[in-house]
Amino acid sequence: MTELPARRLLLVHAHPDDESINNGATMARYAAEGARVTLVTCTLGERGEVIPPESRHLTGTALGEYRLRELTAAMSELGVDDFRLLGGPGRFRDSGMMGLADNDDPDCFWQADVDAAAGHLVEVIREVRPQVLVTYDDHGGYGHPDHIQAHRVAMRAVELAAESGHEIPKVYWNRVPRSVAEEAFARLERELPGLPFTKAAAIDDVPGVVDDARITTEIDGTAYAAAKAAAMRAHATQITVAEPYFALSNDLAQPVLTSEYYELVRGERAAGRETDLFAGIAGIVGAARTAGTASDGSGEAS
């Protein structure tokens, strides 16, 4: 059996592009440091709105196949070579936005049996044996049915894996501290006239914004800002990037956050605000300082 890296991180996301927006800097940092970073994406985003006019002919399965190629390019930018589709390509289809008739499609992820879908994720957990899992909160960050379902499936898989002897020591939800969002949006408003976007999004449009007191963990991904932006840019059907800002298909500008934030919801919390997702896990203390170096060419550990 091949020996597993000391640190193993599993992320569960709904569609291609979610990982780069939410966790791109975190993924790039841990991959560069030698951790095994595994991404499980639950759908191919077949019902996503396409931004470039020349690509708007892509719909359904054709769009999903194209977005898989975008995901592959994004993972190359982040240095992540272990990325999978839950249950295999096309097993679960995009459910569309909440309240649409798309939600009733029997093949969509929203209609999937949670235990059955979680079973596919448990297979990955048994293989990878992650110490840390990252996913959305119970609202899916902003209420998209696939994000909510990804949360349900991920949390159920954690339970099922534990029942079979594969305990995941720490589980985190993606978060953004309100104070950070307020500061970033204030800067955006000042700089908006020089950007290729006509309007700014609202803070409430950002998934996972919570009071600062909810934040348990801050990952400094400054050294990986370029990698995150490049990964987001690879999802060109869904994202327009004008660093340090981006917009989705609604053309509303948002900040690209290079420090990424989390709430520990399962596991032992270290004293104060953590700066390492693996903090406090037995047997890997100090791994972040010795496993690798930053990918910006500086030769300094991040």
Side-chain angles (χ1 to χ4, degrees):
M1 178 181 294
T2 303
E3 184 176 353
L4 292 171
R7 295 177 300 160
R8 302 176 297 277
L9 169 63
L10 174 62
L11 304 100
V12 181
H13 276 289
H15 316 103
D17 81 0
D18 293 325
E19 80 297 323
S20 296
I21 296 170
N22 286 276
N23 312 114
T26 299
M27 295 172 71
R29 172 179 164 173
Y30 281 111
E33 290 178 351
R36 177 168 181 170
V37 178
T38 300
L39 169 68
V40 174
T41 305
C42 297
T43 82
L44 283 172
E46 297 92 342
R47 291 189 167 102
E49 296 181 357
V50 176
I51 296 173
E54 65 274 16
S55 300
R56 288 178 185 162
H57 64 284
L58 295 169
T59 59
T61 299
L63 176 57
E65 292 172 350
Y66 192 90
R67 292 187 69 178
L68 178 56
R69 293 196 291 273
E70 291 183 329
L71 178 62
T72 301
M75 292 303 95
S76 178
E77 296 291 353
L78 298 181
V80 173
D81 56 15
D82 185 9
F83 55 99
R84 310 154 184 235
L85 295 167
L86 185 68
R91 177 64 184 83
F92 301 106
R93 294 181 65 84
D94 188 344
S95 307
M97 298 300 289
M98 186 66 83
L100 298 181
D102 298 332
N103 304 163
D104 299 324
D105 180 349
D107 293 328
C108 80
F109 190 45
W110 183 241
Q111 292 295 328
D113 178 83
V114 170
D115 275 18
H120 293 295
L121 188 56
V122 170
E123 292 176 8
V124 178
I125 292 171
R126 287 173 175 162
E127 175 192 340
V128 175
R129 293 189 290 167
Q131 298 112 331
V132 176
L133 182 145
V134 171
T135 191
Y136 314 104
D137 64 14
D138 55 0
H139 186 55
Y142 73 108
H144 191 293
D146 287 333
H147 286 239
I148 295 171
Q149 189 78 325
H151 160 86
R152 293 172 177 170
V153 168
M155 299 305 290
R156 181 59 178 149
V158 170
E159 294 174 349
L160 293 173
E163 291 172 4
S164 63
H166 297 269
E167 186 83 30
I168 299 177
K170 301 181 82 173
V171 176
Y172 292 92
W173 292 346
N174 294 305
R175 293 299 192 195
V176 177
R178 187 164 296 278
S179 67
V180 169
E182 289 172 348
E183 181 180 350
F185 273 88
R187 184 171 62 253
L188 169 57
E189 288 290 348
R190 294 192 298 269
E191 298 180 1
L192 190 60
L195 298 175
F197 311 116
T198 57
K199 294 182 179 180
I203 289 176
D204 289 344
D205 293 328
V206 178
V209 174
V210 293
D211 292 341
D212 290 31
R214 298 276 298 272
I215 305 300
T216 61
T217 311
E218 176 180 350
I219 301 301
D220 180 2
T222 306
Y224 305 97
K228 175 170 180 169
M232 291 174 64
R233 193 174 286 113
H235 292 289
T237 62
Q238 307 299 304
I239 308 173
T240 302
V241 179
E243 293 176 70
Y245 303 105
F246 76 99
L248 302 172
S249 60
N250 57 16
D251 202 36
L252 299 177
Q254 299 184 43
V256 176
L257 299 179
T258 53
S259 285
E260 294 169 344
Y261 301 86
Y262 302 91
E263 179 182 0
L264 180 67
V265 296
R266 183 183 177 110
E268 196 72 28
R269 178 178 177 179
R273 183 176 285 188
E274 299 174 332
T275 58
D276 179 8
L277 296 174
F278 295 88
I281 297 177
I284 57 173
V285 175
R289 294 192 296 273
T290 60
T293 58
S295 62
D296 61 354
S298 67
E300 297 179 358
S302 63

